[in-house]
Amino acid sequence: MITVLFFAGIREVIGLDRIIIKKDRITVLQLKQYFESKYPLLSFEPFMTAINESFVTDEAMIKDQDTVAFIPPVSGG
Amino acid sequence: MITVLFFAGIREVIGLDRIIIKKDRITVLQLKQYFESKYPLLSFEPFMTAINESFVTDEAMIKDQDTVAFIPPVSGG
Amino acid sequence: MVQSMFKIVREPISVEEVTNLVSRREAGAITIFIGTVRELTKGKKTLSLEYQAYDSMAIKMLNLIGEEIERAWPDAWVAITHRVGKLEITDIAVVIAVSSPHRSIAYEANEYAIERIKQIVPIWKKEFWEDGTMWIGDQLETAEYPEGRPSEEG
Amino acid sequence: MVQSMFKIVREPISVEEVTNLVSRREAGAITIFIGTVRELTKGKKTLSLEYQAYDSMAIKMLNLIGEEIERAWPDAWVAITHRVGKLEITDIAVVIAVSSPHRSIAYEANEYAIERIKQIVPIWKKEFWEDGTMWIGDQLETAEYPEGRPSEEG
């Protein structure tokens, strides 16, 4: 089980701030592809991604219990 | 008549914050030399000088009613 | 230190409180950056703003910026508070305070902090205009990534 | 503007008051510099300080710095208050606030202001140590003239 977090515009489009899915031992890229198949109108590829609050690359492996966050370009400050 | 102002260390050494003297139509350099003759232990040459609150060079002419200030290196801020 | 130097808050920020976090006898210079909601951005009139954060990660990234500053300028102390939620024009969104024995470091470290916040801290801004709203950053038109993308070292 | 942006005062400085002088709807960035009395200078322990000013000329020079900033950064607003008299460790000696629509200008103009204050504003500092006192600046040992001498344009 992994928890996936959404923020900002993507949160509003999907209408959820988090989804818990039964997937692990997949890469970030595979997770992005999974969401693109689920939401064919959305592109997940450009998102930065964090696993457990650290930025990771598309090749990073997601483990059971991980929290994955899709990070749109930030605009704080 | 001109008013001459002293600040910081030189004010403490001379023991006065201002002197009014009956001199005009002299240059700043001449005024410095006048004070060096009056206070032979002090050197006035290194001082920056202001006439009526504007920095001037040693060649500037002092007129009647002017206020001349000897400005030690500043240390505010 | 008992008090945390890096905070995400929902209430108005007290500049004085953030400043007090870095004030100390050895520091002759304190620089403060106050980011406020401004009315016009690229000629467009903002009515209000909403900031959203990934709170726990944002605090972690602020701490990371603090560590980066400690490595680069060992004499500097830094405190950062960012507000989230609904903000009006002139409201304070972020306060960065840096103290240092010498002033040039206090300026440098402070500007470094705001640049890094805009790169790696997961906080997002939604602008409310008369004719609509938009999450800033996730549109090419308004993306502002000084180095292309957030650093991946975090 | 009714309120003066440049002041020499004898009482404690309110950072908030100086900041409010530059706060405005068009400004998204405010930088503040706070110069405090620090305990150690070159390893020597300061007990207290006394600042003395040529008040009228100091205010004139602060206004001149304001004009220089207006010419160099037309979008920036600047306010400066310097305290004189007896100050204790951690007391605030000077506050510089700059507001600007964009942050890099706010940092630049602020640092420019403090550099110029240290060059051309007739204010002097006397340090009180355990073993004596000294007016800082008029001794070669401690003279701090970034460009040799105060500018003569003023």
Side-chain angles (χ1 to χ4, degrees):
Chain A
M1 297 242 295
I2 61 172
T3 304
V4 182
L5 306 180
F6 306 107
F7 297 95
I10 192 78
R11 175 185 289 186
E12 289 188 356
V13 171
I14 292 183
L16 291 167
D17 64 353
R18 65 187 58 211
I19 292 177
I20 294 172
I21 54 176
K22 268 194 150 156
K23 276 196 185 298
D24 56 53
R25 307 297 303 163
I26 59 168
T27 66
V28 167
L29 185 62
Q30 286 168 327
L31 185 71
K32 285 179 171 179
Q33 286 162 348
Y34 164 77
F35 276 108
E36 283 179 353
S37 71
K38 207 174 156 196
Y39 300 97
L41 293 178
L42 299 179
S43 171
F44 283 78
E45 223 188 302
F47 281 126
M48 287 296 298
T49 315
I51 297 181
N52 303 330
E53 302 172 4
S54 290
F55 284 111
V56 295
T57 61
D58 275 358
E59 294 72 40
M61 185 61 71
I62 302 167
K63 304 182 311 296
D64 189 33
Q65 303 298 326
D66 275 353
T67 297
V68 181
F70 291 115
I71 311 280
V74 303
S75 50
Chain B
M1 298 241 295
I2 61 172
T3 304
V4 182
L5 307 179
F6 305 107
F7 296 96
I10 191 78
R11 175 185 290 186
E12 289 189 355
V13 171
I14 292 183
L16 291 168
D17 65 353
R18 65 187 58 211
I19 291 177
I20 294 172
I21 54 176
K22 268 196 151 158
K23 277 195 183 298
D24 57 53
R25 306 298 301 163
I26 60 168
T27 66
V28 167
L29 184 63
Q30 286 169 327
L31 186 71
K32 285 179 171 179
Q33 286 160 349
Y34 165 77
F35 276 108
E36 284 179 352
S37 69
K38 207 172 155 198
Y39 300 96
L41 294 178
L42 298 179
S43 170
F44 284 77
E45 222 188 302
F47 282 126
M48 288 296 299
T49 315
I51 298 181
N52 304 329
E53 303 172 3
S54 291
F55 285 111
V56 295
T57 61
D58 276 358
E59 294 72 42
M61 186 62 70
I62 302 167
K63 305 181 310 294
D64 189 33
Q65 304 297 327
D66 276 352
T67 297
V68 181
F70 290 115
I71 311 280
V74 302
S75 51
Chain C
M1 231 161 298
V2 176
Q3 266 224 288
S4 169
M5 304 293 256
F6 306 102
K7 299 177 189 171
I8 303 292
V9 300
R10 268 150 189 84
E11 320 77 49
I13 303 175
S14 156
V15 176
E16 201 185 344
E17 247 176 60
V18 183
T19 309
N20 287 345
L21 288 172
V22 301
S23 175
R24 54 197 164 114
R25 298 173 74 82
E26 309 83 42
I30 300 175
T31 53
I32 301 167
F33 175 81
I34 303 176
T36 62
V37 179
R38 69 164 184 264
E39 192 165 31
L40 291 173
T41 298
K42 291 168 189 160
K44 199 147 188 173
K45 193 171 174 180
T46 303
L47 301 179
S48 65
L49 280 187
E50 186 190 334
Y51 281 98
Q52 183 183 96
Y54 180 6
D55 285 56
S56 55
M57 183 171 169
I59 290 172
K60 189 175 164 182
M61 291 298 117
L62 292 177
N63 273 283
L64 177 70
I65 294 170
E67 287 162 24
E68 290 174 354
I69 287 174
E70 204 180 320
R71 271 199 301 278
W73 300 280
D75 285 340
W77 282 18
V78 57
I80 306 173
T81 300
H82 201 300
R83 183 177 172 192
V84 294
K86 197 94 179 170
L87 272 74
E88 309 296 326
I89 308 299
T90 77
D91 278 355
I92 296 173
V94 63
V95 174
I96 303 167
V98 175
S99 70
S100 161
H102 297 97
R103 66 182 180 280
S104 64
I105 283 174
Y107 282 106
E108 271 180 60
N110 198 307
E111 192 162 9
Y112 178 84
I114 184 67
E115 299 297 334
R116 288 299 272 161
I117 287 171
K118 289 178 176 284
Q119 289 168 5
I120 65 164
V121 179
I123 297 177
W124 301 273
K125 176 166 78 172
K126 186 181 190 174
E127 298 218 348
F128 291 76
W129 304 304
E130 271 166 12
D131 60 351
T133 69
M134 192 193 279
W135 284 100
I136 305 302
D138 58 350
Q139 307 286 333
L140 278 178
E141 187 200 358
T142 51
E144 267 196 13
Y145 264 22
E147 284 160 18
R149 291 186 149 237
S151 148
E152 288 171 27
E153 74 202 47
Chain D
M1 232 161 299
V2 177
Q3 267 224 288
S4 168
M5 304 294 256
F6 306 102
K7 299 177 189 172
I8 304 290
V9 300
R10 268 148 189 86
E11 320 77 49
I13 303 175
S14 157
V15 176
E16 201 184 343
E17 247 175 61
V18 184
T19 309
N20 288 344
L21 288 173
V22 301
S23 174
R24 53 196 166 114
R25 298 173 74 82
E26 309 83 42
I30 300 174
T31 53
I32 301 166
F33 176 82
I34 304 176
T36 61
V37 179
R38 70 164 183 264
E39 192 164 30
L40 291 174
T41 298
K42 291 168 188 160
K44 199 148 187 174
K45 194 171 174 179
T46 302
L47 300 179
S48 66
L49 280 187
E50 186 190 335
Y51 281 97
Q52 183 182 96
Y54 180 5
D55 284 57
S56 55
M57 183 172 170
I59 290 171
K60 190 175 164 183
M61 290 297 118
L62 291 176
N63 273 284
L64 177 70
I65 294 170
E67 287 162 24
E68 290 174 354
I69 288 174
E70 205 181 320
R71 270 199 300 278
W73 299 280
D75 285 340
W77 282 18
V78 57
I80 306 174
T81 300
H82 201 301
R83 185 178 172 191
V84 294
K86 196 96 180 168
L87 273 73
E88 307 296 326
I89 308 299
T90 77
D91 278 355
I92 296 174
V94 62
V95 174
I96 303 168
V98 175
S99 70
S100 162
H102 297 97
R103 67 182 181 283
S104 63
I105 283 173
Y107 283 106
E108 271 179 62
N110 198 307
E111 192 163 11
Y112 178 84
I114 184 68
E115 298 297 335
R116 288 299 273 162
I117 287 171
K118 288 178 177 285
Q119 288 167 6
I120 65 165
V121 179
I123 298 177
W124 300 272
K125 176 166 78 174
K126 185 181 191 174
E127 298 219 349
F128 291 75
W129 304 305
E130 270 166 13
D131 60 351
T133 69
M134 192 193 279
W135 283 100
I136 304 302
D138 59 349
Q139 307 286 335
L140 278 178
E141 187 200 359
T142 51
E144 268 197 12
Y145 263 23
E147 285 160 19
R149 294 188 146 235
S151 148
E152 288 171 27
E153 73 202 49

